[in-house]
Amino acid sequence: QSVLIQTPSESGTPGQTVNISCSGSTSNIGSNAVSWYQQLPGTAPKVLMQSNNQRPSGVPDRFSGSQSGTSASLAIGGLQSEDEAVYYCATWDDSLNGWVFGGGTKLTVL
Amino acid sequence: EVQLVESGGGLIRPGGSLGLSCAASGFSVSSNFMTWVRQSPGKGLEWVSSIYSAGRAFYADSVKGRFTLSRDNSKNTVYLQMNSLRVEDTAVYYCARGFYDSSGNPFFKYWGQGTLVTVSS
């Protein structure tokens, strides 16, 4: 069981908006910034969002992030087939003195 | 251009030892925090260990006392020495370069392609 809790799967049709949630606690999301990673099949993870809601250069503005209390979320608007991937949230945990990842959310574009 | 190239993976029997390397180019490992993240077959990402610029290393409880993270600044390479390996250590091991954004918040900006470690009898 991961420290950060994500819904195992989400789906949407092209053009829709999908929200992926990440639930934690005061020692992790409640205290530290969240980053999000996209992992396409057979590839290494790639950073999608830093500092809760900052997009690295090259990431389309269809992707947006937010954080409130002990939860964070990633929204993907204008869903495209190439968005099919597994998405992970991550942050530092002050109690564990280490990084924690969510279990991952597999996004399917129908 | 930033590159991270992992090596050293392979098949090892339970109880054995293996050393992984992560050769970096395009930046200095000594002035960044470097991290290993692993992914067991069909599973999610799991943080293993990080070493910060001051030299302090942190470990996941699952590997504490068995794995050691170090770096050689002259070779611009980080190493993960894995001892007393268990079947559950089987995974692709990714090396990642940590980065602090303008707000001072850390994240993993660059990732290598990973190296597979299989622990099996």
Side-chain angles (χ1 to χ4, degrees):
Chain A
Q1 178 88 346
S2 302
V3 172
L4 303 182
I5 304 302
Q6 295 182 242
T7 305
S9 62
E10 293 282 358
S11 62
T13 56
Q16 267 191 332
T17 295
V18 169
N19 288 285
I20 295 172
S21 63
C22 175
S23 178
S25 66
T26 53
S27 64
N28 43 64
I29 295 178
S31 306
N32 300 292
V34 175
S35 49
W36 289 88
Y37 302 87
Q38 177 193 58
Q39 188 175 33
L40 297 168
T43 69
K46 164 195 162 186
V47 63
L48 208 58
M49 198 67 57
Q50 66 199 54
S51 205
N52 297 323
N53 56 14
Q54 303 299 306
R55 282 187 312 277
S57 61
V59 175
D61 60 6
R62 303 187 293 108
F63 294 87
S64 61
S66 64
Q67 178 267 340
S68 178
T70 59
S71 294
S73 66
L74 175 72
I76 308 173
L79 207 57
Q80 300 178 5
S81 58
E82 59 257 39
D83 297 332
E84 269 207 356
V86 181
Y87 294 84
Y88 297 91
C89 56
T91 190
W92 179 264
D93 190 296
D94 293 334
S95 294
L96 296 175
N97 242 2
W99 284 85
V100 289
F101 281 89
T105 298
K106 181 175 170 58
L107 175 63
T108 301
V109 181
L110 303 169
Chain B
E1 182 193 3
V2 171
Q3 270 199 315
L4 297 167
V5 179
E6 302 98 332
S7 61
L11 175 62
I12 188 77
R13 296 198 185 280
S17 297
L18 201 61
L20 305 182
S21 300
C22 171
S25 57
F27 71 99
S28 172
V29 298
S30 64
S31 53
N32 290 266
F33 79 92
M34 300 296 295
T35 292
W36 287 93
V37 173
R38 69 184 181 184
Q39 186 170 36
S40 299
K43 302 295 184 183
L45 302 175
E46 179 191 13
W47 172 75
V48 174
S49 179
S50 295
I51 186 166
Y52 289 78
S53 56
R56 185 176 179 186
F58 295 83
Y59 300 91
D61 286 344
S62 58
V63 307
K64 203 171 290 183
R66 300 188 298 123
F67 290 12
T68 302
L69 179 54
S70 62
R71 68 183 182 215
D72 184 330
N73 297 337
S74 65
K75 295 182 178 176
N76 212 32
T77 298
V78 294
Y79 303 96
L80 186 67
Q81 178 64 35
M82 305 184 294
N83 299 329
S84 303
L85 281 161
R86 304 168 181 168
V87 170
E88 54 265 35
D89 294 320
T90 294
V92 173
Y93 284 72
Y94 293 102
C95 173
R97 172 193 171 186
F99 198 82
Y100 291 92
D101 64 18
S102 56
S103 301
N105 294 316
F107 64 102
F108 306 121
K109 187 168 183 176
Y110 299 99
W111 296 69
Q113 285 310 298
T115 186
L116 176 62
V117 173
T118 303
V119 185
S120 174
S121 54

